[in-house]
Amino acid sequence: MARKSLVEAVAEDLLERILEGEVGAHEALPPEAEIARESDVSRLTVREALKALQAQNIVYVRRGLGTYVNPPDAWTGLEAILKAASRGATSHQVALRLLEVRRMVETGSAELAAVHVTPEDLAAMETAVRDLERAHEAQDLDEVTRADMAFHDVVLRASGNPFVPVLLAQLSQLLYAERRATSAFPEVQRHAIEHHRLVLEAIGTRDPETARKAMEAHIDQTYADYEHYIGGGTAPGGPDPATGPFSHRTGDD
């Protein structure tokens, strides 16, 4: 592994201080001279580190006043965003945002998969469903989570778009934590098995609309399960998968 440069080391240290809450949103970082002294580097190194953070919109400069911290929702650096999210990976807000991302990406992937799916893809989905069933019977939570993610990975690859798996791969650590948390409940595992079978059958019809609706129903059910078992939803059984906040169905759509 390549050794980190002094600039990278200082930038990471400053980011860590921000993530730890030592410097809050719209608060000023210490002066360059102070950072240089504390880090035992030159002011030029500090200046370059601050430029690196500024390029990711983590900090902004107020001329004549200093360098200030942006709120995390303004950051544009993926690694920094993931680090910030990981600090609260079990939080309600992070889980719901992950479900939002999954809905946007996975429903479209299922739709594309119905067009591009191969017999090998369908066989891999079937294998993942059977693995999930066996893991459920064995009460093996880690294997349940692995089989769950394996099924969705096949759908992403079956979309025929090489960019799609890459998009969610960046979130793999957070997605694993979210999946494992909800999958701890046997009823959620049963829902996953049922919906995975429905998604598999829908993609097998090679009808994009049918596949999209099946995946949409699965994500809606996942949201309802999260609200019921973890998020403390308002309804005793969680939101209705057909009418919950992740559903956009109207009429016969």
Side-chain angles (χ1 to χ4, degrees):
M1 181 180 295
R3 187 177 181 181
K4 293 178 184 175
S5 69
L6 287 176
V7 171
E8 291 173 327
V10 173
E12 286 191 10
D13 181 63
L14 290 172
L15 176 59
E16 185 65 24
R17 292 169 68 174
I18 293 169
L19 292 172
E20 289 293 329
E22 293 182 25
V23 187
H26 302 299
E27 293 181 354
L29 288 172
E32 289 181 5
E34 182 178 333
I35 297 173
R37 185 172 60 254
E38 292 176 348
S39 303
D40 194 24
V41 297
S42 69
R43 290 186 62 175
L44 178 60
T45 296
V46 174
R47 195 169 298 125
E48 291 301 314
L50 292 174
K51 285 182 180 179
L53 295 178
Q54 188 178 3
Q56 301 175 69
N57 218 35
I58 297 170
V59 300
Y60 63 97
V61 175
R62 297 177 64 183
R63 294 195 180 280
L65 295 175
T67 302
Y68 292 74
V69 176
N70 268 319
D73 59 9
W75 298 359
T76 56
L78 180 59
E79 185 175 354
I81 292 170
L82 290 176
K83 283 183 177 181
S86 296
R87 299 301 173 95
T90 59
S91 75
H92 185 67
Q93 186 181 43
V94 170
L96 294 185
R97 286 182 174 177
L98 284 171
L99 282 170
E100 288 173 353
V101 172
R102 286 187 59 194
R103 179 184 177 85
M104 288 186 287
V105 176
E106 295 195 45
T107 54
S109 296
E111 193 170 11
L112 286 172
V115 177
H116 300 291
V117 71
T118 66
E120 291 76 18
D121 292 328
L122 293 172
M125 290 181 209
E126 177 66 34
T127 297
V129 174
R130 291 181 180 177
D131 287 345
L132 180 56
E133 290 172 336
R134 284 193 290 268
H136 169 66
E137 292 172 2
Q139 299 181 17
D140 186 336
L141 180 56
D142 288 329
E143 186 60 21
V144 163
T145 307
R146 188 207 64 78
D148 184 357
M149 295 190 71
F151 177 86
H152 287 273
D153 285 345
V154 177
V155 175
L156 296 178
R157 292 196 303 272
S159 70
N161 187 322
F163 296 108
V164 173
V166 175
L167 290 174
L168 287 190
Q170 303 294 324
L171 303 172
S172 59
Q173 184 177 354
L174 292 175
L175 287 170
Y176 184 90
E178 177 245 327
R179 290 304 221 305
R180 198 178 191 281
T182 52
S183 295
F185 301 90
E187 185 63 22
V188 175
Q189 297 175 20
R190 287 190 283 272
H191 289 161
I193 293 169
E194 175 188 354
H195 279 275
H196 285 191
R197 285 244 169 250
L198 292 173
V199 170
L200 170 55
E201 292 171 7
I203 291 175
T205 68
R206 299 184 182 277
D207 179 69
E209 182 68 7
T210 299
R212 181 188 66 80
K213 286 184 176 181
M215 183 62 81
E216 190 172 46
H218 177 28
I219 300 298
D220 286 341
Q221 181 64 63
T222 301
Y223 175 85
D225 284 337
Y226 176 83
E227 282 293 306
H228 178 53
Y229 290 99
I230 297 177
T234 55
D240 185 340
T243 59
F246 279 99
S247 176
H248 295 289
R249 300 184 185 86
T250 56
D252 295 328
D253 181 30

